[in-house]
């Protein structure tokens, strides 16, 4: 059976979304002088990836400066530090028509952890069309309601619009009616700012909408919840990798040749609980 999988690791993964991570930002957010303890850049990267995973959308992890060819949407989750080179990398992506989503505490300081002057989020204010006046960190057990029907946790901010439009607002408290999520048009691209951490379901719905506007959808839209799908391009065909993370059999509409069983699939592939499949497809 293993000989039938020869070469399956070759080819490029089809991922329209890139999530930026930066080890230095992770360390910087742990400084005891930050407005809140427990700030976690890797945790924010994981939250964004988890939301996209539950939406069935494949994402790449990148570090600032990596090529973004083929990525229609770039996410900066709590990317606290931003060198001039990183800022230029983000700007080139947006001005080339790439979409951008930035979350709270991104671009606040340069690579030496020196806070950028002029208001937050320092490096990206003009791209996002917002200016943050004040931070409102949230306690571990504190939640803020959102007009989207979800909640925000960990963090919130006083956001002023300088060209962006509000998408979601806070409900109640000192931030009642103020923007929590915004959208701004920059040329052919949309840029988004998220000033709190939405709950997982709200985050999934938000990123699904953001990705859709960027022209990115689920890898396998027909796959049931709990089935992960990743597609690789290789020469004159593609390979669809399916993983059933549930404890029940799952049926996935698909067609091609399944390499593990060496059997053709005409319309539907059935995955056993915890099962995997590698399907060779005709080139799309």
């Amino acid at each position: 059976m293993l000989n039938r999988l020869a070469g399956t690791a070759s080819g490029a993964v089809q991922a329209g979304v890139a999530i930026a991570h930066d080890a230095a930002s992770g360390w910087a957010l742990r400084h005891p002088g930050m407005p809140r303890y427990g700030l976690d850049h890797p945790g924010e990267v994981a939250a964004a990836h988890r939301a996209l995973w539950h939406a069935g959308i494949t994402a790449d992890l990148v570090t600032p400066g990596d090529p973004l060819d083929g990525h229609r949407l770039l996410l900066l989750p709590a990317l606290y530090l931003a060198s001039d080179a990183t800022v230029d990398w983000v700007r080139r992506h947006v001005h080339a028509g790439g979409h951008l989503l930035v979350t709270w505490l991104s671009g606040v300081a340069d690579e030496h952890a020196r806070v950028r002057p002029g208001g937050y989020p320092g490096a990206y204010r003009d791209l996002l069309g917002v200016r943050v006046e004040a931070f409102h960190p949230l306690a571990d057990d504190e939640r803020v309601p959102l007009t989207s029907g979800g909640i925000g946790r960990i963090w919130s901010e006083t956001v002023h619009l300088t060209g962006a439009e509000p998408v979601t607002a806070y409900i109640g408290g000192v931030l009642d009616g103020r923007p929590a999520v915004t959208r701004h048009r920059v040329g052919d691209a949309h840029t988004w700012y998220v000033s709190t951490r939405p709950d997982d379901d709200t985050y999934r719905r938000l990123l699904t909408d953001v990705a859709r506007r960027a022209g990115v959808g689920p890898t396998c839209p027909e796959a049931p919840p709990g089935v992960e799908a990743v597609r690789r391009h290789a020469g004159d065909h593609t390979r669809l990798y399916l993983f059933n993370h549930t404890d029940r059999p799952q049926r996935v509409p698909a067609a091609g040749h399944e390499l593990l069983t060496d059997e053709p699939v005409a319309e539907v592939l059935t995955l056993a609980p915890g099962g995997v499949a590698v399907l060779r497809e005709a080139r799309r």
Side-chain angles (χ1 to χ4, degrees), residues 65-273:
D66 283 350
L68 293 173
D69 300 338
H71 294 108
R72 295 289 303 145
L73 172 64
L74 172 64
L75 271 57
L76 307 183
L79 201 76
Y80 180 68
L81 304 180
S83 67
D84 288 346
T86 295
V87 176
D88 181 63
W89 175 69
V90 174
R91 288 182 184 280
R92 283 188 281 109
H93 170 73
V94 173
H95 290 306
H99 298 251
L100 173 71
L101 182 140
V102 177
T103 81
W104 48 279
L105 272 185
S106 292
V108 170
D110 67 13
E111 70 272 30
H112 304 292
R114 298 177 299 203
V115 173
R116 290 178 173 269
Y120 313 117
Y124 309 119
R125 287 193 313 273
D126 58 334
L127 282 179
L128 299 169
V130 299
R131 180 178 63 82
V132 173
E133 177 185 345
F135 298 148
H136 302 273
L138 302 174
D140 287 344
D141 60 352
E142 193 174 1
R143 305 289 186 266
V144 289
L146 305 172
T147 55
S148 61
I151 59 170
R153 50 186 294 265
I154 300 175
W155 196 262
S156 58
E157 297 175 339
T158 301
V159 177
H160 295 279
L161 303 177
T162 59
E165 59 179 318
V167 174
T168 301
Y170 293 105
I171 299 174
V174 297
L175 296 179
D176 185 45
R178 288 194 173 273
V181 179
T182 64
R183 181 175 62 238
H184 185 44
R185 187 68 180 252
V186 181
D188 294 329
H190 281 113
T191 63
W192 304 71
Y193 185 62
V194 183
S195 65
T196 188
R197 159 77 88 75
D199 62 88
D200 282 358
D201 188 57
T202 301
Y203 210 1
R204 175 189 58 78
R205 288 187 281 109
L206 171 63
L207 292 187
T208 298
D209 181 47
V210 172
R212 178 184 60 80
R213 291 173 182 267
V216 180
T219 299
C220 187
E222 303 86 1
V227 174
E228 180 180 3
V230 176
R231 182 172 277 114
R232 284 180 181 266
H233 290 289
D236 62 350
H237 65 277
T238 61
R239 289 187 292 268
L240 179 65
Y241 301 76
L242 297 168
F243 308 85
N244 181 6
H245 295 279
T246 77
D247 58 2
R248 302 180 307 279
Q250 300 289 352
R251 290 167 55 84
V252 182
H257 192 90
E258 207 288 301
L259 299 180
L260 294 174
T261 60
D262 198 21
E263 295 288 341
V265 176
E267 296 180 351
V268 175
L269 177 69
T270 300
L271 286 170

